[in-house]
Amino acid sequence: METVPSAVLNKEILGRLDIEALCSLACVNRALRFSVESQALPSLSSLHLSVGSFPLSTCMVLMLELADKESPHLFENNLAIMLTSCLQLESLSLKIRGFGVEVDACAFQSIIFFLPITIKSLKLQPVLERDAFFLIRRVGRNLMETVQPPILTSSYYSSFNLRSLSLVLDVITDELLITITASLPFLVELDLEDRPNTEPLARLDLTNSGLQSLGSCHHLTGLSLTRCRYNHQGTFKRVNDMGMFLLSEGCKGLESVRLGGFSKVSDAGFAAILLSCRSLKKFEVRSALFLSDLAFHDLTGVPCALVEVRLLWCRLITSETVKKLASSRNLEVLDLGGCKSITDTCLRSISCLRKLTALNLTGADITDSGLSILAQGNLPIMNLCLRGCKRVTDKGISHLLCVGGTISQSLTTLDLGYLPGISDDGILTIAAAGIGIIDLCVRSCFYVTDASVEALARKQPGQEKSKQLRRLDLCNCIGLSVDSLRWVKRPSFRGLHWLGIGQTRLASKGNPVITEIHNERPWLTFCLDGCEIGCHDGWQFHESGFI
């Protein structure tokens, strides 16, 4: 594989294959998969999945991300043919990208007429709210217009198959939730996200009444309601604690709750969810202005089944909350990203969580001493994020990895981005420790130089359990010189598949060294745009550089 020139592989071999052959080839090994994904598929001018390339009649799961670049009529026609061919489809996930918001949002207008009745899981992005009404009523067999019997039985709804619904909308309203609950009474999972361009009008927004209507979905176990701030700095301003009280009383069987943008809900509202939903395993809250330690005050007094807790950008959360959460011995994921009042005082409690595999402390006020406490615990952490913890230095990395604790043996993903105290010494410690880190982020660490790249390049797996580095983020490491690229050549970094070098001296698309490396290793992706690790799993749009 490595002996075949990139130009020959891409143009003379992959370029001559049809889509079915490319997909088969991608299953051979990782190198071919990367070549197919990064070179062959993007070079296709069009992709027609409905003309016999695949046996769609037996397809049960279909996940596509499409670019709506052709005429709307042709696009809708191709999509309709594809869907009508999927006679046994149970799970459908479609994301469409066009040249503008209006193009994207209108792309699913006709999909409602071609969805197979076998569908059980549906995920669409983006959808206009007005189109979502027709879609839900179509899937729900127009229950809003049907006279319902006094007793709703499973046999009455025998034509219903949809159990999971996920939509990204322009706005979430009470009317939409009422329509969903009335049309899909056997819904198990509901995931709604909206991205309004302006502040929604009172009659066209989510209120307490909309949350109350969810009580009609007696089988609901997973709920996600978020308002993103991409287009407008807005929140759900018409939902308060009363809405959460109504939700917690009507949906006590919830096992997973994700809430984002509820700026008027206080501790009482969030506590109602935690205390009423006794089977709750996953709890996530984003950007809650009034969520504080009080919401978790009584958590130790009730049985706790929490496995995953994410409290993102909740500025009032402190170490006291973490101490309460530590009472849940089954906790596997703890995400405290953006909670800047988290300090060393809670790290001993965290170190007692024997099942914790992922810990995010982005922006926390922890120190090197705190990392020493973590290292001494019996934590099987695989994913650790210390991004923006400005009091962490090279010494802390040494404490973390060199005392022989469990974390030094289990760690595979480490994020040290935006740490002014990290230099070549810290990276040398990582390289010398012989641990199996697969993903390493040191973006915006200004004291990282060529010596760090050399140390990582020379790092050899010391044991069978020690894995090779696959993804390395060096974005905005201004201390790097162009000469450091020589360490990316063969035989160094044998397992490397992704390298982020945006905003560095290395980020020149016409750099002959990059071209040479790319010809040697066509599966190695160079990102010159400053994306996070992996470029959003390969779906990130790049303005300037992606090789």
Side-chain angles (χ1 to χ4, degrees), residues 238-250:
R238 296 174 178 88
V239 175
N240 54 31
D241 290 340
M242 180 55 68
M244 292 299 163
F245 295 155
L246 295 171
L247 175 63
S248 63
E249 285 300 311

Side-chain angles (χ1 to χ4, degrees), residues 405-533:
T406 303
I407 191 171
S408 65
Q409 302 173 19
S410 61
L411 196 62
T412 60
T413 299
L414 180 61
D415 190 336
L416 302 176
Y418 302 92
L419 297 186
I422 294 297
S423 68
D424 290 335
D425 290 342
I427 308 304
L428 290 172
T429 298
I430 294 173
I435 58 177
I437 289 184
I438 296 175
D439 294 346
L440 177 62
C441 172
V442 290
R443 62 166 48 210
S444 296
C445 291
F446 302 141
Y447 298 105
V448 168
T449 70
D450 296 2
S452 292
V453 180
E454 179 182 355
L456 292 173
R458 292 180 179 275
K459 175 181 178 292
Q460 297 293 333
Q463 303 173 359
E464 292 184 0
K465 66 179 181 180
S466 184
K467 304 177 179 64
Q468 294 180 340
L469 190 65
R470 294 188 60 187
R471 301 192 292 187
L472 176 61
D473 187 357
L474 300 172
C475 174
N476 201 31
C477 290
I478 58 178
L480 296 174
S481 72
V482 178
D483 291 340
S484 62
L485 280 175
R486 67 191 178 95
W487 294 107
V488 186
K489 295 181 180 180
R490 293 189 299 176
S492 304
F493 288 114
R494 294 180 180 178
L496 197 63
H497 284 169
W498 186 92
L499 180 62
I501 54 176
Q503 303 173 43
T504 67
R505 295 185 180 94
L506 289 63
S508 174
K509 196 172 184 180
N511 190 321
V513 180
I514 293 182
T515 303
E516 179 185 349
I517 296 172
H518 181 60
N519 289 334
E520 289 180 350
R521 297 173 169 178
W523 59 87
L524 175 58
T525 296
F526 283 89
C527 178
L528 314 182
D529 267 17
C531 300
E532 295 290 345
I533 280 185

Side-chain angles (χ1 to χ4, degrees), residues 283-337:
F283 183 67
E284 177 176 337
V285 178
R286 292 173 176 261
S287 303
L289 300 179
F290 301 113
L291 175 63
S292 73
D293 298 334
L294 291 176
F296 303 89
H297 179 71
D298 296 325
L299 198 59
T300 54
V302 297
C304 186
L306 287 172
V307 174
E308 181 176 314
V309 176
R310 299 180 185 271
L311 306 175
L312 303 174
W313 302 104
C314 299
R315 61 185 183 184
L316 300 181
I317 292 294
T318 73
S319 296
E320 293 304 313
T321 289
V322 180
K323 294 176 182 179
K324 297 293 184 181
L325 290 173
S327 63
S328 178
R329 298 301 183 182
N330 292 320
L331 204 61
E332 298 176 5
V333 177
L334 182 57
D335 191 340
L336 302 168

Side-chain angles (χ1 to χ4, degrees), residues 161-178:
N161 291 296
L162 194 67
R163 297 294 183 266
S164 176
L165 178 65
S166 177
L167 303 174
V168 176
L169 305 130
D170 54 334
V171 64
I172 299 174
T173 64
D174 284 350
E175 187 178 0
L176 178 64
L177 281 183
I178 292 172

